[in-house]
Amino acid sequence: MIIEEYVSLRNYNTFGIDVKAKFFCEIHSLVELRELLPELKKQPYIFIGGGSNVLFTKDFEGLVIVNKIIGKKIDFKGDDIIVSGLSGENWHEFVLWTLENKAFGLENLSLIPGSLGAAPMQNIGAYGSEIKQTCVSISALDLESGEIKIFMNEECEFGYRESVFKRSLKNKYFILEVSFALQNRDNWKPNANYGDIQKVLDDKKIVIARAIDISDAVIEIRRSKLPDPKILGNSGSFFKNPVISFVQFERFIECNPSAPYYIVSEDEYKIPAGWLIEMAGLKGKRYGNCGVHEKQALVLVNYGNASGKEIFELSTVIVETIFERFGILLEREVNVY
Ligand code: FAD
Ligand code: NAP
């Protein structure tokens, strides 16, 4: 394994930010990762999968490790199908592979960029589905002791774009392998209630949707709404959708009667952050080399030469504007370094 010095990270983050890593390497196996463990005790480090949920605001004065550990397998256990993948697998290709193997349940999560290993970090979710619904267990390497620990689903503390790995165990474990319990044709049920999925199926005159039809619909909708990071640098939703208490919600809806909202639980109301940003007049606004995307206000974009600092400053303007206007504090979803 070669450790390089002063490597540009432009091609390793979907914002396309041109910062440098003081030290940089790729890992292809657990053996290589174990060899690196002494290095991790000497300096700051960061693991990168697809770099689609990070914003670099400065050069990284430590070791950047790009995960290329790949492999996947499928086991049939009664009515369940257990699929497992090593963390460097590409998420979307993994989803397509499950569908090809007639293992259903991940189709609503099609076309999310990034690696399999980063998926549990924020319990990736989209179109009414999140991995906490199908993830059975995660095997992770303890970076201090070098031992492998299995985290069962409940131990991952999955929440809305959250997990124990993004909170108390951040930087303490490397996620090595993720296993899912999926369904076969007999026990799978489509989830087409969210957004425009049903509309796309209706337009195509699909009456009985197969998992691949749902996947195709999700891909079509996503391609029509979201900027392709290869063309316009971005990291998907920059902020989480705020979840507010009933008391806060009552005040909010009285002042904003047309606001969309979703009831999460008796005392939790989710307000789409994109709507707040749009109502504050920021959708489509350009700030120097970066801006708020014209079709999706939750996505901040790099028009070419933005620095991470500029994008972070724009996100601060948005946080402050939304707080002044609505009294709601937006939280960044993207991992800022
Ligand atoms: P990276 O950006 O490489 O890493 C993210 C974080 O995880 C970093 O802190 C990193 O250090 C850590 N990490 C990465 N791999 C490991 C590992 N093996 N072990 C321990 N830590 C690790 N997200 C959603 O939830 N739903 C969506 O619908 C969605 N749509 C998106 C659309 C676009 C266009 C883009 C650009 C992003 C979108 N995202 C979405 C965000 C992003 O794709 C996901 O969060 C994805 O899981 C990130 O994977 P990654 O490999 O790129 O992570
Ligand atoms: P959308 O469908 O326009 O919906 C706007 C927001 O309202 C979403 O964020 C969603 O919250 C919420 N919502 C809509 N219908 C809902 C329902 N039936 N029940 C509960 N909440 C509902 O959103 P979009 O921007 O086009 O994105 C579509 C999906 O892809 C969303 O699930 C979104 O989270 C996901 N996505 C995520 C990222 C990312 O980087 N995290 C980027 C792009 C798209 P939820 O976000 O909780 O679903």
Side-chain angles (χ1 to χ4, degrees):
M1 185 188 10
I2 303 158
I3 297 184
E4 294 172 77
E5 281 183 59
Y6 297 104
V7 172
S8 167
L9 296 178
R10 188 193 273 272
N11 294 331
Y12 296 94
N13 71 97
T14 59
F15 258 127
I17 305 294
D18 193 10
V19 289
K20 285 195 171 53
K22 188 169 181 193
F23 297 108
F24 174 95
C25 69
E26 291 185 354
I27 47 168
H28 299 86
S29 67
L30 177 58
V31 174
E32 284 189 346
L33 175 56
R34 281 213 158 102
E35 278 173 28
L36 272 183
L37 290 183
E39 292 297 321
L40 305 189
K41 295 199 167 60
K42 294 185 204 156
Q43 60 201 312
Y45 57 87
I46 169 182
F47 292 102
I48 287 289
S52 64
N53 205 13
V54 288
L55 174 67
F56 289 109
T57 56
K58 50 184 180 305
D59 287 342
F60 191 77
E61 296 296 327
L63 175 62
V64 171
I65 304 153
V66 176
N67 180 11
K68 299 275 183 188
I69 306 178
I70 56 168
K72 48 191 184 294
K73 61 177 190 256
I74 185 159
D75 280 323
F76 296 87
K77 281 198 179 154
D79 276 348
D80 276 340
I81 306 173
I82 306 294
V83 295
S84 306
L86 294 175
S87 53
E89 287 285 337
N90 173 276
W91 172 260
H92 178 59
E93 283 165 21
F94 182 76
V95 172
L96 295 183
W97 171 80
T98 61
L99 296 174
E100 276 159 26
N101 282 282
K102 317 245 174 305
F104 310 130
L106 297 179
E107 55 283 342
N108 290 53
L109 300 173
S110 297
L111 212 63
I112 297 181
S115 61
L116 180 55
M121 291 292 294
Q122 68 159 17
N123 177 27
I124 57 166
Y127 295 93
S129 183
E130 47 188 4
I131 67 157
K132 111 184 210 194
Q133 295 160 336
T134 44
C135 175
V136 180
S137 63
I138 286 167
S139 120
L141 185 76
D142 182 332
L143 298 167
E144 182 67 38
S145 70
E147 280 167 23
I148 288 179
K149 175 170 162 57
I150 307 292
F151 290 85
M152 299 311 287
N153 182 306
E154 322 73 74
E155 294 173 278
C156 298
E157 296 175 19
F158 287 129
Y160 179 61
R161 305 295 184 267
E162 278 302 343
S163 77
V164 72
F165 303 105
K166 200 172 173 180
R167 294 263 170 213
S168 56
L169 297 186
K170 193 170 170 87
N171 268 350
K172 295 200 163 40
Y173 283 89
F174 172 82
I175 296 175
L176 197 56
E177 187 171 13
V178 190
S179 299
F180 301 88
L182 301 182
Q183 288 96 55
N184 59 32
R185 197 172 275 145
D186 298 331
N187 57 16
W188 172 80
K189 287 198 180 57
N191 172 5
N193 301 327
Y194 192 104
D196 284 341
I197 298 181
Q198 191 57 53
K199 184 176 174 300
V200 172
L201 295 174
D202 291 345
D203 288 350
K204 290 182 175 168
K205 304 204 178 349
I206 295 170
V207 182
I208 301 175
R210 299 164 302 163
I212 191 72
D213 298 321
I214 304 270
S215 169
D216 287 346
V218 167
I219 291 171
E220 193 178 314
I221 302 166
R222 293 184 72 102
R223 286 209 171 117
S224 72
K225 282 180 129 179
L226 287 167
D228 179 351
K230 288 196 189 95
I231 297 164
L232 197 56
N234 74 88
S235 246
S237 304
F238 200 89
F239 302 100
K240 291 184 188 177
N241 291 308
V243 177
I244 57 178
S245 69
F246 180 65
V247 174
Q248 204 185 356
F249 172 73
E250 274 193 317
R251 260 184 273 129
F252 169 78
I253 209 70
E254 204 183 328
C255 303
N256 305 281
S258 62
Y261 64 89
Y262 299 93
I263 302 173
V264 179
S265 73
E266 216 173 282
D267 194 37
E268 292 176 306
Y269 287 71
K270 183 174 69 182
I271 315 293
W275 184 87
L276 298 171
I277 298 169
E278 190 174 345
M279 288 304 114
L282 298 172
K283 189 176 182 180
K285 285 263 185 227
R286 192 169 169 149
Y287 292 80
N289 293 314
C290 57
V292 180
H293 191 242
E294 55 191 13
K295 286 195 194 158
Q296 172 47 286
L298 209 45
V299 177
L300 305 189
V301 293
N302 175 2
Y303 284 109
N305 290 313
S307 66
K309 206 163 158 267
E310 265 179 294
I311 294 173
F312 188 78
E313 280 165 9
L314 166 58
S315 74
T316 304
V317 170
I318 295 172
V319 171
E320 288 171 357
T321 307
I322 299 306
F323 190 71
E324 274 164 30
R325 170 91 192 260
F326 299 103
I328 290 179
L329 191 61
L330 290 183
E331 195 186 331
R332 292 174 183 88
E333 180 179 302
V334 168
N335 300 277
V336 178
Y337 292 98

